Amino acid sequence: MVFWGVEVRPKKSFKQSSEAFEGGKLHLSQATLGLHSKANERTVVACKVGDGSKFFLCSLIPGVMESCSLDLLFDQDVVFSVVGSASVHLAGYYLPADMPEVMGDESNEDLTFGGPSVVPDNAEKKKKKKKKKAEGKEAQKLNKKEVTKGSTQSDTVGSGENANTQKLVEGLAKEKRNVSSTVNDVSAATKTPDKPQSLKTDDQTPILLNPKSASKKGTPVVRRYPNGFEVEEISMGKPDGKQAKPGKRVSMHYTGKLKSNGKIFDSNIGKKAFEFRLGVGEVIKGWDIGVNGMRIGDRRRMTIPPQMAYGASGVPGTIPQNAWLIFDVELVNVK
């Protein structure tokens, strides 16, 4: 592997030719904000692969998040650019053509757009499961000196070494449950906007950034969730605008449609902006998660499954049962 690095300056994109890969690939590992950056001003790292359209890799803010770990491979010509007034340093390495692809930490925790981290993929979960299984076997070997043939693990838990071994096994089981709950939390939501309820913070964790969504010109960046929930970044407001965060009161302009036939069932365009407190269940779950991270002037399109909208009951006379909804939203104000 050979180190690769470049400084991308504002209003001056950098093109990396695939010829330099010599049949291999470029692994992008890190994005770091330059020294001369303005306080509270967001700088966004953008990328264009081949003939595809531009999509965003990460957002950096001085004093908040000045560095972002990435885990991306490129085997085509790629153009990097920044949106903002600060430069960004990109670092990574070349993977030769005859070297297997060994990716780093696949949790991709920093690939976010104002929201938290992504869900570990199946390969990572299998790797962790295999590791925990091996550790569990080691723990069972420690018990063999203290237990008789045919006894169960619960029969042998006592004091000294056995008690310590049991704690180790319980800790591994708890860690496994935490990984599984991260994957399943988003699909368990069924809250409605007119009944305020509390919102678990880890319901907002799963985010998938799929660069293939920007393979066609004009296609916006899309974040896809495991249960079908999608958030499209239609346009950006001011990079240093106020940001919507849980607990803040936000004001929105919106238009709601039925996904099945495109029929508009609600809209406040040309009217007073709709105001609510984000992240506490005052609106449907799809809004609490989809609006999070927006800045004033940002526009998004949210495709929301029934379990994150009005579920099996729907809204009589307005929204059918088990209806998928599409909302075009714009953030107007944050308090």
Side-chain angles (χ1 to χ4, degrees), residues 45-276:
V45 181
C47 174
K48 179 180 179 182
V49 180
D51 295 329
S53 58
K54 182 186 296 185
F55 60 90
F56 302 129
L57 297 181
C58 63
S59 179
L60 305 174
I61 303 175
V64 178
M65 188 173 78
E66 299 185 349
S67 181
C68 175
S69 296
L70 302 171
D71 195 2
L72 301 172
L73 286 176
F74 299 93
D75 57 4
Q76 304 179 48
D77 292 350
V78 56
V79 178
F80 297 102
S81 59
V82 295
V83 180
S85 61
S87 62
V88 175
H89 296 262
L90 302 179
Y93 52 86
Y94 292 116
L95 279 173
D98 57 351
M99 178 176 289
E101 295 180 9
V102 180
M103 305 298 285
D105 180 8
E106 296 185 359
S107 62
N108 290 336
E109 291 183 352
D110 290 308
L111 283 179
T112 63
F113 291 81
S117 60
V118 302
V119 178
D121 61 17
N122 290 333
E124 181 67 12
K125 288 188 287 185
K126 289 181 180 178
K127 182 178 178 182
K128 289 184 178 180
K129 184 177 180 180
K130 187 176 181 181
K131 180 179 178 181
K132 291 170 190 172
K133 184 177 180 181
E135 292 175 347
K137 288 182 178 179
E138 290 296 324
Q140 291 176 0
K141 289 180 181 179
L142 294 176
N143 273 338
K144 285 185 178 180
K145 295 181 180 180
E146 303 295 335
V147 300
T148 59
K149 186 176 181 181
S151 63
T152 63
Q153 182 180 347
S154 60
D155 294 329
T156 64
V157 177
S159 58
E161 291 184 2
N162 289 339
N164 292 334
T165 301
Q166 181 64 14
K167 290 180 180 179
L168 174 60
V169 174
E170 290 175 351
L172 294 174
K174 182 177 180 180
E175 182 179 351
K176 182 177 179 180
R177 289 195 299 270
N178 289 339
V179 173
S180 298
S181 64
T182 302
V183 179
N184 297 325
D185 277 342
V186 165
S187 60
T190 57
K191 296 189 175 55
T192 59
D194 54 347
K195 295 181 179 180
Q197 299 179 13
S198 60
L199 179 66
K200 295 181 180 179
T201 56
D202 51 359
D203 280 345
Q204 302 180 26
T205 53
I207 294 178
L208 289 179
L209 173 62
N210 184 3
K212 293 182 180 180
S213 65
S215 60
K216 297 182 179 180
K217 291 185 178 181
T219 302
V221 177
V222 180
R223 286 181 288 155
R224 291 189 175 90
Y225 290 69
N227 63 348
F229 177 47
E230 291 185 0
V231 179
E232 299 181 8
E233 303 285 346
I234 302 299
S235 63
M236 293 178 58
K238 295 183 178 180
D240 57 349
K242 290 183 179 180
Q243 189 175 31
K245 298 179 180 179
K248 296 284 189 180
R249 293 203 67 83
V250 297
S251 299
M252 310 292 298
H253 280 149
Y254 68 89
T255 296
K257 310 174 187 176
L258 300 178
K259 183 181 179 182
S260 59
N261 56 16
K263 180 181 178 181
I264 296 177
F265 61 84
D266 194 12
S267 177
N268 71 344
I269 303 300
K271 303 177 184 178
K272 182 180 179 181
F274 172 56
E275 183 176 314
F276 66 97

Side-chain angles (χ1 to χ4, degrees), residues 281-327:
E282 290 186 0
V283 292
I284 57 176
K285 189 65 168 288
W287 271 55
D288 266 336
I289 295 179
V291 173
N292 185 30
M294 293 182 71
R295 293 183 181 273
I296 292 178
D298 284 2
R299 293 176 60 245
R300 290 180 179 178
R301 173 169 295 159
M302 301 180 293
T303 302
I304 306 176
Q307 63 267 36
M308 298 181 72
Y310 298 93
S313 59
V315 178
T318 304
I319 299 175
Q321 298 176 347
N322 296 313
W324 285 68
L325 308 179
I326 297 176
F327 281 95

